[in-house]
């Protein structure tokens, strides 16, 4: 493996997904983000948290499914629309409650598959799809899903809680397969028993309620280290990570592994004394968990490999979210 | 006014919006509608209600904005995306908590207007837009919004609670204007003081918590009588309504009035002894409220006008939701 090539590949992968448009949205909508005075977190978390009193918060998130995924494999698009939303709630230490969707349908032939994928996703995660809106005579195919969850206010896992001196942990279910049509889709749920899949969501609530992590995020489109960088930016810290400590399925090369969207995977930070308990709890549910590095003050994400060391992201030079500019 | 022509116009208006595709969605997703055992209501309400214990329910709804509205007036599309969602929660007697959106953007030039419309809608109703998902390089424009609210389990207003012998009430803010570009958009909020607009949402919580209505629904795309028919179908009853009792702004002809999507308007049912209190409470906030008819056993919606009487909808012949087939 050429370490420098890997670093370049990861930088460019996340760089491509950076969109200036997102800045415009967050800037404009930021004006009304907390207009009611009940919103707890800032933009940039996996879900928003709204205080409803009695130490309870409502979590709310939305995800759109990539149009091309719908065309190539509508069943898998429907299934993944559930998975990505459930993981957003799990990452916050919350219980997923229900989803709604909006569908625009151009090709009637993809319709049955799309719906069946949604149904099978709901069954796998035991979260209902309770309604939505249909544009039946659309000129395009699109599927957007929103999810609501519930959590305890005092035990929320957020992106912004990492502190200098904390350890960085990566938890990935390494028992899976690259999806035959989408190599970057590390599927760990489809062929797995639904009880175990649901327990992987529940154990996140358990470590949250035991106040074990200081921060956390589910590994999504930006891959393992891109997701970590987003967490670092939200927390206003940096990290130094050892590449070879990151749990990996040895059948998948590093470059694909680190860019993959896994079915069940989280980056977490925690005080050193809590790491073993996190590892023990998550390991019981098919997660491969390891301490992979340290949180540092300098706002850079360093990646180490043997004697080599590179700056993967620098919040002054190539941040992902640009939230600190 | 030709009464028979009006009846035909209303039947065809709602008829056109009926989509067989919706049947497929409700049938397929119905399988996982209450997979978690916590979902209280059936499909067909303005929002879904999920039991979270302690007499609290989470309300969840989603609405997509019509693509053409986005092209003609993106600002208004953004504003309305907030309005329609807030009304879904108000109709259930709930408090709107927060929204998320998914935007697909083709034309960059509509973008600023769309976002500003959303911001102004959030300010008007004091409900935050807390996040979402952006497809920036889309081949089309679309805006989907989901909303979450909270309500008391024992005082939820649903579509399914109307009983034979109840009175039918229509509450519409008649102080408004036909939108200059969209005649069927009866705008009552844009030029109105935000305190009053927010009070119109809150008074629905008040009548819900006083257990005054037996059922209710916000008047939306199917218009006043189409919305009532949806309520009747969900409740498994019929109604007999007197046309001229329906509150109306005299500047708008009946045919346009009954097909309009009003900014603040509800159909309600209630026991006769509770009607005056509903009228009194809603009238304090710019609603024009009247008892317009009776709930009957026969599953038909009769419309009376002077000596004339017609069957507007029959659940056996031309239902809107087809839920009872």
């Amino acid at each position: 493996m050429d370490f420098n090539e890997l670093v370049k590949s990861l930088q460019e992968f996340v760089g491509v997904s950076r969109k200036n448009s997102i800045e415009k949205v967050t800037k404009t909508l930021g004006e009304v983000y907390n207009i009611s005075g009940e919103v707890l977190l800032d933009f940039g978390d996996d879900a928003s948290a709204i205080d409803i009193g009695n130490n309870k918060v409502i979590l709310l998130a939305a995800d759109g499914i990539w149009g091309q995924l719908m065309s190539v494999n509508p069943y898998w698009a429907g299934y993944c629309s559930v998975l990505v939303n459930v993981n957003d709630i799990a990452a916050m230490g919350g219980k997923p409650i229900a989803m709604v969707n909006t569908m625009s349908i151009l090709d009637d032939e993809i319709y049955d598959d799309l719906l069946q994928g949604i149904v099978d996703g709901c069954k796998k995660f035991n979260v209902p799809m309770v309604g939505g809106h249909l544009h039946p005579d659309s000129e395009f195919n699109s599927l957007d899903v929103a999810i609501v969850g519930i959590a305890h206010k005092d035990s929320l896992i957020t992106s912004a809680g990492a502190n200098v001196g904390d350890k960085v942990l990566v938890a990935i279910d390494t028992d899976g397969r690259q999806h035959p049509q989408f190599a970057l889709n590390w599927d760990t749920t489809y062929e797995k028993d639904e009880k175990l899949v649901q327990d992987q969501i529940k154990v996140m609530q358990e470590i949250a309620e035991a106040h074990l992590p200081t921060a956390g995020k589910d590994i999504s489109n930006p891959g393992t280290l891109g997701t970590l960088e987003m967490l670092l930016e939200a927390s206003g810290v940096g990290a130094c990570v050892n590449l070879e400590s990151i749990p990996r399925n040895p059948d998948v090369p590093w470059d694909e592994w680190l860019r993959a969207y896994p079915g069940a995977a989280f980056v977490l930070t925690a005080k050193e004394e809590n790491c073993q308990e996190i590892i023990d709890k998550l390991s019981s549910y098919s997660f491969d968990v390891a301490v992979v590095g340290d949180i540092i003050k300098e706002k850079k994400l360093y990646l180490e490999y043997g004697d080599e060391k590179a700056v993967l992201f620098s919040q002054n030079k190539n941040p992902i979210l640009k939230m600190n500019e």
Side-chain angles (χ1 to χ4, degrees), chain A:
Chain A
M1 184 192 64
D2 183 323
F3 180 63
N4 288 322
E5 260 184 33
L6 174 68
V7 168
K8 195 158 165 271
S9 163
L10 293 175
Q11 287 170 336
E12 284 173 358
F13 171 62
V14 173
V16 169
S17 75
R18 245 197 301 158
K19 299 295 180 194
N20 285 326
S21 319
I22 292 175
E23 291 182 83
K24 195 187 273 183
V25 178
T26 51
K27 205 170 169 183
T28 311
L29 295 184
E31 198 188 334
V32 289
Y33 183 75
N34 194 9
I35 196 170
S36 62
E38 296 162 348
V39 180
L40 295 175
L41 310 170
D42 210 342
F43 277 121
D45 246 298
D46 293 295
S48 292
I50 303 103
D51 196 341
I52 57 168
N54 289 323
N55 193 28
K56 290 268 178 70
V57 294
I58 286 178
L59 301 170
L60 184 61
D63 259 314
I65 288 295
W66 191 40
Q68 208 177 321
L69 178 57
M70 285 184 74
S71 310
V72 175
N73 190 333
Y75 175 86
W76 192 242
Y79 184 86
C80 286
S81 74
V82 175
L83 178 142
V84 299
N85 275 281
V86 169
N87 274 330
D88 279 338
I89 300 300
M92 312 285 296
K95 178 191 172 190
I97 297 276
M99 294 170 289
V100 286
N101 67 78
T102 312
M103 279 183 267
S104 297
I105 299 296
L106 165 66
D107 314 319
D108 262 359
E109 62 264 38
I110 75 161
Y111 204 44
D112 289 332
D113 285 348
L114 185 69
L115 287 173
Q116 195 55 51
I118 293 174
V119 165
D120 288 352
C122 290
K123 286 181 181 169
K124 181 66 79 175
F125 290 95
N126 194 38
V127 182
M129 183 68 70
V130 296
H133 191 89
L134 177 72
H135 302 276
D137 304 319
S138 170
E139 287 163 30
F140 51 86
N141 294 316
S142 82
L143 171 61
D144 299 324
V145 174
I147 189 164
V148 64
I150 195 159
H152 291 115
K153 183 179 173 184
D154 67 2
S155 59
L156 216 49
I157 305 175
T158 78
S159 296
N163 301 308
V164 176
D166 284 353
K167 294 291 176 186
V168 178
L169 298 101
V170 170
I172 304 189
D173 187 345
T174 52
D175 172 26
R177 54 158 194 170
Q178 288 183 292
H179 189 280
Q181 288 170 302
F182 313 99
L184 293 188
N185 209 164
W186 176 250
D187 168 33
T188 65
T189 67
Y190 192 68
E191 291 173 351
K192 199 161 277 163
D193 174 64
E194 62 180 42
K195 168 90 168 56
L196 177 52
V197 170
Q198 291 164 24
D199 282 344
Q200 290 183 324
I201 304 297
K202 280 183 200 146
V203 72
M204 288 300 292
Q205 298 161 46
E206 205 180 303
I207 65 167
E209 280 162 24
H211 301 276
L212 298 175
T214 52
K217 216 167 171 60
D218 76 305
I219 298 175
S220 58
N221 278 325
T224 302
L225 294 170
T227 298
L228 173 59
E229 170 63 15
M230 288 166 73
L231 182 153
L232 298 175
E233 291 177 20
S235 294
V237 295
C240 186
V241 165
N242 182 270
L243 176 66
E244 290 174 296
S245 303
I246 297 172
R248 175 175 65 113
N249 182 305
D251 295 342
V252 185
W254 274 114
D255 186 43
E256 285 186 359
W257 184 252
L258 292 176
R259 289 185 293 141
Y261 193 131
F266 301 93
V267 288
L268 297 161
T269 62
K271 287 182 184 161
E272 188 166 11
E273 62 263 34
N274 291 327
C275 288
Q276 193 55 49
E277 203 174 337
I278 291 177
I279 292 169
D280 291 346
K281 283 188 189 292
L282 295 181
S283 300
S284 309
Y285 300 102
S286 191
F287 283 107
D288 226 331
V289 198
V291 171
V292 303
D294 296 277
I295 295 294
I296 59 174
K297 192 176 171 188
E298 195 188 3
K299 293 181 180 178
K300 290 179 179 170
L301 173 48
Y302 289 98
L303 189 60
E304 290 178 329
Y305 174 63
D307 293 339
E308 301 178 85
K309 186 170 182 174
V311 177
L312 191 58
F313 297 104
S314 163
Q315 289 176 42
N316 294 322
K317 284 188 191 160
N318 62 337
I320 295 181
L321 291 175
K322 296 189 175 180
M323 283 172 56
N324 299 322
E325 281 179 15

